[in-house]
Amino acid sequence: MHISRRVLAVAGTVTVLVGVGTAAGAAIAAGPVSSGVVSACYKTAAASNGSHAVVLENTGHTCPSGYTHVTWNQKGQTGPQGPAGPQGPRGPSAGFTASTDDVVLANGTTDTSVVSLTLPAGSYIVQAKLVPFISSGVDSMHCDLLGTDGATVLDQDFATLNAITDSLGSTFGDTTVGLLAPLTTSGGTISVGCEDNQSGVMTMFRNDLQAIQVGGLSSAASSKARHLSSHKGTSPGR
């Protein structure tokens, strides 16, 4: 029997080194290793100093007289998981925006879609700014910031307009409507719908809808969404 392998014998114990990651180590481990199992021959008789020799042997070979065949796994058991590393930096945010102008509102109890914005899945801070305008008289209105289902009200604002004549002789009434809400969505289209609550003619100008994507929203930022109902007059309590 030809045995020519690296041997490491230590008094009282047996230690075998199998090199991995170098050409020499690969050559040594190629024959004795099969499917992750290492084969060797263990000399049962101890030397004068009490040490035992362990010789790596090609898989399938029979150990010579005076040796016992032994095997072990090349890969040991998985160790315990290490401690968690520090939190990485927050990723970049993304902004989405849409704008419209000169949208005439319908009278009654049905919202007119003024501006909409399609968003990918994520968490957002959503805001809108709109300018309702009348050319004469008195009028009232409200606007709803709607979620991706088209029915959930994320935020709502009411306004009353009273047209006056300025120093140049022009008669008009306008104001600014602002909407703001947090939103977590699987993706879809949000929108702003506005309604003229009286019989005048109201036009929406400079209508901007924006969404800033954020890494996450705390529970304190949860919105008090509610479903649409008929609106008459300008009372937010309705």
Side-chain angles (χ1 to χ4, degrees):
M1 173 64 65
H2 173 68
I3 302 175
S4 57
R5 297 287 184 264
R6 191 191 318 187
V7 178
L8 177 62
V10 180
T13 60
V14 177
T15 305
V16 177
L17 299 181
V18 180
V20 178
T22 66
I28 293 173
V33 181
S34 176
S35 300
V37 176
V38 182
S39 295
C41 293
Y42 167 76
K43 189 173 183 179
T44 54
S48 59
N49 63 358
S51 64
H52 291 262
V54 176
V55 182
L56 296 180
E57 183 60 73
N58 286 345
T59 302
H61 283 199
T62 302
C63 293
S65 177
Y67 285 80
T68 299
H69 182 246
V70 293
T71 60
W72 63 89
N73 291 332
Q74 187 180 32
K75 182 178 180 181
Q77 295 181 350
T78 302
Q81 183 175 352
Q87 183 177 354
R90 182 182 294 274
S93 61
F96 302 83
T97 183
S99 299
T100 62
D101 203 10
D102 197 15
V103 178
V104 178
L105 299 187
N107 302 127
T109 59
T110 302
D111 282 352
T112 298
S113 181
V114 177
V115 59
S116 62
L117 179 62
T118 300
L119 301 173
S123 295
Y124 299 87
I125 299 299
V126 181
Q127 61 181 3
K129 179 187 70 66
L130 311 96
V131 179
F133 171 90
I134 59 174
S135 59
S136 62
V138 177
D139 208 340
S140 61
M141 55 84 65
H142 77 273
C143 289
D144 298 314
L145 175 58
L146 304 176
T148 55
D149 61 0
T152 301
V153 179
L154 304 177
D155 194 21
Q156 195 171 64
D157 198 6
F158 293 77
T160 299
L161 284 70
N162 187 4
I164 62 173
T165 302
D166 63 14
S167 59
L168 300 177
S170 300
T171 302
F172 65 91
D174 63 9
T175 188
T176 300
V177 172
L179 301 164
L180 179 67
L183 171 68
T184 298
T185 175
S186 58
T189 300
I190 61 173
S191 61
V192 175
C194 298
E195 175 190 316
D196 185 350
N197 296 131
Q198 298 187 33
S199 58
V201 177
M202 184 175 295
T203 306
M204 305 297 295
F205 290 101
R206 297 185 292 280
N207 312 306
D208 298 318
L209 178 57
Q210 301 172 343
I212 306 299
Q213 191 169 19
V214 295
L217 295 170
S218 67
S219 58
S222 61
S223 64
K224 296 180 180 178
R226 55 183 182 270
H227 292 278
L228 279 174
S229 59
S230 299
H231 296 281
K232 297 179 180 180
T234 60
S235 171
R238 285 184 173 271

